[in-house]
């Protein structure tokens, strides 16, 4: 072998060694060196001469690229996400992207309805936001899948599944979203009727389905709360062609950490639902706790009063929760509010106050419902 051939072999071995753990690097490179030498000697015996550098390159190519060869000796999985986890990763990507698409589409509709000067720019911003948040979602799911693959983590919900919870996989089907929307409309029209279905409907969502949707929605909220993703059109709108900027009141800064912690806690409850779908009493207890936490946060916002500040052309108005607005007279006066900045602030305050009251009733109902479920189970 010539010196040039030796250099080629050493460079190839160094490239392989760089991908190997330090404790096994020497043994493996010695083994590979012996393999290369034996193959070269066999070829030289057939040809009756030393191999040229090009022929040495050919021998190395037959053995394989350094990255591929090193992968054969590396402990652990051979792929970032293996065939067992790939369907779950793909489902998460499809369902998550559909949730993102719905959020950005709603944001775009709000932006267009508020009368932007350049609709094309609003559409471009919505697409840019969807593209960026979509990449973040795919990256996060890929990282989670790689960790699960590397450490052989297999949650119980991958093996201990129940047929009644399989409807959650419809979240990755765009047609299912339309079906669920129509069912929700029909359900609202038949509220109060005690109907007992005689057959199982494919679109009916179970606890696991609700947990998946809640987990994805809360995950997006946490990313937005941390400033990792943005949704265009949420921080501004227009009144009579005048831009209006929305800013949060000081209460949001004071409650920043509690809201983040509570959102993560709710995500943990959703994960518990997926991992332990049969633990119905514990699930009811956790959901009752979540509802109580929602009531506490809502009470803190009510006590703060001012929640948002509207500013336009040097003028300012506040959007607040005011218990004095919880009268039918104020609801009837919504149409009488002016279309200036102060009038819009007053209208939003009325709507926000009534929304908070309805949310409080729903949360109180959720506490009682889950406590009853704990007793009956």
């Amino acid at each position: 072998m010539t010196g040039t051939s030796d250099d080629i072999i050493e460079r190839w071995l160094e490239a392989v060694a760089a991908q190997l753990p330090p404790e096994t690097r020497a043994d493996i490179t010695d083994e590979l060196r012996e393999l290369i030498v034996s193959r070269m000697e066999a070829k030289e015996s057939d040809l009756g001469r030393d191999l040229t550098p090009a022929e040495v390159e050919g021998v190395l190519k037959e053995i394989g690229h350094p990255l591929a060869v090193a992968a054969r000796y590396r402990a652990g999985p051979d792929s970032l996400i293996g065939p067992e986890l790939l369907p779950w990763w793909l489902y998460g990507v499809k369902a998550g992207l559909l949730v993102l698409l719905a959020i950005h589409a709603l944001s775009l509709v709000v932006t267009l309805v508020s009368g932007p000067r350049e609709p094309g720019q609003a559409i471009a911003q919505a697409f840019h936001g969807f593209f960026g948040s979509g990449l973040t979602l795919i990256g996060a799911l890929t990282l989670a899948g790689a960790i699960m693959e590397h450490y052989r983590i297999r949650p119980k919900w991958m093996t201990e599944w129940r047929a009644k919870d399989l409807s959650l996989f419809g979240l990755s089907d765009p047609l299912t979203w339309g079906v669920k929307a129509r069912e929700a409309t029909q359900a609202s029209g038949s509220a109060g009727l005690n109907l007992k279905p005689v057959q199982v409907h494919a679109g009916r969502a179970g606890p696991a389905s609700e947990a998946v949707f809640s987990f994805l929605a809360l995950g997006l909220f946490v990313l937005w709360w941390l400033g990792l993703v943005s949704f265009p059109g949420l921080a501004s709108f227009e009144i009579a062609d005048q831009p209006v900027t929305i800013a949060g009141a000081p209460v949001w800064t004071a409650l920043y950490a509690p809201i983040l912690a509570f959102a993560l806690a709710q995500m943990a409850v959703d994960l518990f639902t997926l991992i332990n779908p049969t633990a119905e009493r514990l699930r009811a207890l956790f959901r009752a706790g979540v509802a109580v936490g929602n009531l506490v946060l809502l009470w803190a916002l009510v006590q703060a009063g001012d929640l948002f500040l509207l500013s336009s052309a040097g003028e300012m108005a506040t959007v607040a929760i005011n218990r004095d607005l919880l009268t039918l007279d104020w609801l009837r006066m919504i149409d009488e509010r002016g279309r200036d900045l102060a009038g819009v602030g007053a209208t939003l305050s009325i709507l926000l106050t009534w929304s908070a009251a309805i949310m409080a009733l729903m949360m109180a109902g959720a506490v009682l419902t889950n406590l009853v479920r704990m007793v009956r189970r």
Side-chain angles (χ1 to χ4, degrees):
M1 293 185 297
T2 65
T4 304
S5 298
D6 288 341
D7 292 340
I8 294 173
I9 295 172
E10 290 304 319
R11 282 198 297 270
W12 185 89
L13 289 172
E14 288 174 1
V16 175
Q19 318 307 318
L20 299 172
E23 59 271 14
T24 60
R25 187 173 298 174
D27 293 338
I28 294 175
T29 52
D30 288 343
E31 177 184 340
L32 290 172
R33 184 178 285 105
E34 292 178 3
L35 174 63
I36 296 169
V37 170
S38 64
R39 290 199 180 186
M40 290 179 59
E41 289 177 347
K43 278 205 167 188
E44 288 174 346
S45 177
D46 292 339
L47 296 174
R49 60 174 175 79
D50 292 341
L51 299 182
T52 64
E55 290 169 335
V56 173
E57 289 274 6
V59 172
L60 297 177
K61 288 181 179 178
E62 290 176 3
I63 298 175
H65 191 280
L67 293 178
V69 174
R72 301 170 195 164
Y73 294 91
R74 188 171 55 242
D78 295 330
S79 56
L80 190 64
I81 298 178
E84 185 182 2
L85 288 178
L86 181 61
W88 297 87
W89 175 87
L90 184 60
Y91 161 75
V93 169
K94 291 171 64 178
L97 289 178
L98 282 173
V99 172
L100 281 174
L101 182 62
I103 292 175
H104 284 280
L106 179 61
S107 175
L108 177 61
V109 169
V110 172
T111 303
L112 294 176
V113 170
S114 64
R117 297 179 180 178
E118 299 181 3
Q121 183 179 3
I123 295 174
Q125 289 178 346
F127 177 79
H128 181 269
F130 172 72
F131 186 76
S133 54
L135 289 179
T136 302
L137 169 71
I138 294 173
L141 291 176
T142 302
L143 177 61
I147 294 174
M148 292 174 65
E149 187 69 46
H150 182 77
Y151 292 101
R152 300 298 301 170
I153 299 173
R154 296 296 184 269
K156 291 183 179 179
W157 44 261
M158 290 185 61
T159 55
E160 300 179 8
W161 52 269
R162 298 182 301 177
K164 71 176 185 178
D165 293 329
L166 296 181
S167 59
L168 69 92
F169 293 99
L171 288 174
S172 62
D173 181 11
L175 296 178
T176 302
W177 286 65
V179 171
K180 289 184 180 295
R182 289 194 297 271
E183 288 181 352
T185 303
Q186 294 171 1
S188 63
S190 59
L193 296 179
N194 186 16
L195 301 178
K196 296 183 179 180
V198 296
Q199 60 182 6
V200 177
H201 297 279
R204 191 176 301 278
S209 175
E210 296 174 0
V212 169
F213 186 86
S214 174
F215 184 83
L216 291 174
L218 285 168
L220 290 175
F221 169 78
V222 168
L223 292 176
W224 173 77
W225 193 249
L226 293 173
L228 300 178
V229 298
S230 61
F231 302 110
L234 296 181
S236 63
F237 61 96
E238 293 188 359
I239 298 177
D241 293 332
Q242 291 293 326
V244 178
T245 302
I246 306 174
V251 62
W252 298 110
T253 301
L255 294 178
Y256 180 85
I259 291 175
L260 177 60
F262 187 66
L264 293 175
Q266 291 185 80
M267 293 179 68
V269 173
D270 293 331
L271 279 179
F272 175 82
T273 301
L274 292 173
I275 297 173
N276 298 282
T278 59
E280 298 183 1
R281 285 188 174 179
L282 276 177
R283 185 168 65 245
L285 174 62
F286 291 153
R287 288 187 173 180
V290 167
V292 171
N294 275 323
L295 283 172
V296 172
L297 287 177
L298 185 59
W299 176 252
L301 294 176
V302 171
Q303 291 296 100
D306 293 348
L307 298 184
F308 301 101
L309 303 176
L310 308 181
S311 58
S312 176
E315 298 181 359
M316 297 192 67
T318 60
V319 178
I321 295 179
N322 188 342
R323 283 168 287 184
D324 295 337
L325 301 177
L326 286 176
T327 64
L328 293 179
D329 290 337
W330 280 105
L331 280 180
R332 297 190 190 99
M333 293 171 60
I334 287 182
D335 290 338
E336 300 177 8
R337 302 294 96 189
R339 293 295 181 263
D340 56 356
L341 189 65
V344 171
T347 299
L348 292 177
S349 295
I350 296 173
L351 295 176
L352 190 60
T353 300
W354 277 88
S355 298
I358 294 172
M359 288 178 59
L361 292 175
M362 292 175 61
M363 292 301 104
V367 173
L368 295 176
T369 300
N370 283 287
L371 291 179
V372 170
R373 287 176 180 172
M374 290 175 56
V375 174
R376 289 182 176 179
R377 295 296 178 188

